[in-house]
Amino acid sequence: MHFLTTIMNEYGYLVLFLSIALGILALPIPMEAVLAYAGFLSFLKQLNWFGSILSSAMGCTLGMLLSYWVGYKLGMQFFEKHGKRLHIESERLAAISNWIRKYGNKLLIISIFIPVFRHFIGYFSGITRVPIRVYILYTGIGSTLWVSSFIFLGKILGPQWEMYFETIKRYVIITSIVLFILLGIIYVIKKIRNAVMEAGTK
C-alpha cells in the first residue's frame, strides 16, 4: 500500500485507474484503501474528487469488461479443467453461475461491493453469456457507486481516514451481503407466489 500511495502522489489518476482495473482482475491490490486514499488526496486538494471518481470508475469498468471477455472466450469447460490453479473451484463456479441466473442485474451492482465476488462475477457473466449491454450498464452503475462511496469516505474523514477505514469498510461489506440475502428472499417469495398463482388457475 505504501508503494501505491507514493506513486499516486506523483501520477494520481493514472495510478488510480490502473490499480483498480488490475485489482478487479484479482491482483492483490487493496482497492478500497486506494480509493479512500484518493479521497484523502482530494481533501488535500491534490486530486479533484470528480476526476478521482471518473478515473477509478473507468478502471473498475475496464477490469470488469476484461474479466467478462476472458470468461466469454474461455467458457465453462476451461474453468472446470483449470479452475483449481486459478483458485476457482468447481463448486464456487457452479454456485456463482446459479446466482447470476437467479438474481441477474441487481447482483451485478451489489457484487462489486463484496470482496471475492467482484473478482469473479465478470468471468461468470461471460461464461453464462449475460448480454453485454446489460452487463456494461449495471457494472458501470455498480462501479460508480462503489468507488464513490470509498472516495467520499476518504474525503470526509480527511487525515483520520486510516483510523476509521477498516470499521466502515466492514459495515459496507456487511450491508452489501445483507442486501444480497434480501434479494434472495424476495426472489424465493416471488417464486412461491407465482407457483401458488399458477396452481390456483389450474
Side-chain angles (χ1 to χ4, degrees):
M1 180 62 190
H2 177 70
F3 171 73
L4 285 173
T5 56
T6 301
I7 60 175
M8 192 184 296
N9 290 335
E10 296 185 23
Y11 301 105
Y13 306 114
L14 177 61
V15 174
L16 189 56
F17 172 83
L18 292 175
S19 61
I20 299 302
L22 295 174
I24 289 295
L25 293 172
L27 270 70
I29 295 174
M31 292 184 290
E32 285 95 345
V34 170
L35 292 168
Y37 185 72
F40 172 59
L41 291 181
S42 68
F43 170 84
L44 297 176
K45 309 297 183 184
Q46 294 183 26
L47 290 178
N48 177 270
W49 68 271
F50 179 77
S52 298
I53 291 173
L54 182 62
S55 58
S56 54
M58 289 175 62
C60 184
T61 303
L62 175 62
M64 297 296 289
L65 281 172
L66 289 174
S67 60
Y68 177 95
W69 180 81
V70 171
Y72 189 92
K73 289 294 184 181
L74 296 180
M76 184 72 78
Q77 292 182 346
F78 174 86
F79 285 95
E80 288 177 345
K81 185 176 180 180
H82 303 286
K84 289 185 178 180
R85 298 178 185 176
L86 302 172
H87 306 291
I88 306 176
E89 295 80 5
S90 58
E91 294 80 6
R92 180 179 293 175
L93 183 72
I96 299 181
S97 296
N98 287 333
W99 288 332
I100 292 174
R101 293 189 185 97
K102 288 181 179 179
Y103 308 124
N105 305 335
K106 298 180 183 66
L107 178 61
L108 291 175
I109 296 176
I110 297 174
S111 63
I112 297 178
F113 285 82
I114 305 175
V116 179
F117 259 75
R118 75 170 68 103
H119 300 301
F120 298 113
I121 192 71
Y123 298 113
F124 298 122
S125 295
I127 290 170
T128 55
R129 300 300 195 263
V130 173
I132 187 63
R133 291 182 180 179
V134 172
Y135 181 78
I136 292 174
L137 174 61
Y138 286 93
T139 53
I141 293 171
S143 297
T144 303
L145 292 174
W146 174 60
V147 302
S148 297
S149 62
F150 283 97
I151 288 174
F152 277 122
L153 170 64
K155 182 176 176 62
I156 292 170
L157 294 178
Q160 296 180 313
W161 76 272
E162 287 184 283
M163 184 183 303
Y164 298 103
F165 170 73
E166 287 298 330
T167 300
I168 297 176
K169 174 186 173 182
R170 193 177 303 117
Y171 280 115
V172 170
I173 293 172
I174 291 172
T175 301
S176 302
I177 293 173
V178 169
L179 287 174
F180 174 79
I181 293 172
L182 287 175
L183 284 176
I185 293 172
I186 292 171
Y187 173 83
V188 171
I189 291 173
K190 286 183 176 179
K191 279 287 186 181
I192 294 173
R193 185 180 65 183
N194 290 338
V196 171
M197 291 177 65
E198 288 177 3
T201 56
K202 293 180 180 179

